[in-house]
C-alpha cells in the first residue's frame, strides 16, 4: 500500500510517497481504508520537528473511511461501515489502524471529507 512517510524533520520536501506494509489490526483495533484525512497545524509542527515523533512516521491524526478489518474482540463495527476518528495516527495512507474506542460511525448525511 502507499503512504506518506517522513524520515527527517523539515519542510514539505520531507514528505515522501512510499510503499509500506499493510497494517494488521491487533486486539481492539480497526483497520480503516482511508478516504479523507485532515490537515492541521499539528501535522506541520510534527513534520518540522516542533512536536517530536519517532522517525520515520506517517502524519494524519484525523481521518475518515470505511472499515476494512477488525481486530480481536472488536464489536459494534462492520466491514464497509463508514467511520472517522480524530484520535488516530498515520491517516496519510491508503489504510490505517485506529483504536475501536476512538472511532465513530459517520452518518449518511455527512461526507467522508466532512467527517475527516
Amino acid at each position: 500500500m502507499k503512504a506518506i512517510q517522513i524520515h527527517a524533520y523539515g519542510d514539505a520536501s520531507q514528505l515522501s510517497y512510499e510503499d509500506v506494509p499493510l497494517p494488521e489490526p491487533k486486539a481492539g483495533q480497526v483497520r480503516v481504508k482511508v478516504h479523507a484525512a485532515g490537515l492541521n497545524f499539528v501535522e506541520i509542527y510534527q513534520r518540522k520537528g516542533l512536536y517530536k515523533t519517532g522517525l520515520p512516521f506517517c502524519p494524519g491524526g484525523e481521518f475518515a473511511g470505511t472499515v476494512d478489518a477488525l481486530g480481536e474482540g472488536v464489536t459494534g463495527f462492520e466491514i464497509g461501515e463508514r467511520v472517522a476518528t480524530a484520535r488516530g495516527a498515520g491517516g496519510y495512507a491508503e489504510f490505517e489502524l485506529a483504536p475501536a474506542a476512538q472511532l465513530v460511525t459517520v452518518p449518511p448525511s455527512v461526507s467522508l471529507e466532512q467527517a475527516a
Side-chain angles (χ1 to χ4, degrees):
M1 71 160 208
K2 293 289 192 179
I4 299 295
Q5 294 286 296
I6 297 175
H7 294 275
Y9 300 118
D11 63 16
S13 69
Q14 297 303 319
L15 300 169
S16 177
Y17 188 59
E18 302 177 8
D19 289 310
V20 299
L22 181 69
E24 293 299 327
K26 296 179 179 151
Q29 293 181 321
V30 173
R31 185 169 63 207
V32 177
K33 180 174 179 21
V34 178
H35 292 268
L39 174 60
N40 299 288
F41 283 111
V42 69
E43 282 87 19
I44 295 169
Y45 296 159
Q46 289 170 336
R47 176 182 39 85
K48 290 182 174 183
L50 299 173
Y51 293 171
K52 298 289 186 195
T53 60
L55 293 171
F57 73 96
C58 179
E62 298 174 354
F63 56 89
T66 55
V67 173
D68 179 68
L70 303 172
E72 183 181 335
V74 173
T75 60
F77 293 102
E78 296 180 11
I79 303 298
E81 185 174 353
R82 295 164 19 106
V83 294
T85 185
R87 304 287 296 182
Y92 292 13
E94 289 182 285
F95 295 87
E96 191 47 80
L97 303 176
Q102 299 297 325
L103 283 174
V104 296
T105 298
V106 177
S109 61
V110 176
S111 74
L112 291 174
E113 291 81 8
Q114 291 169 321

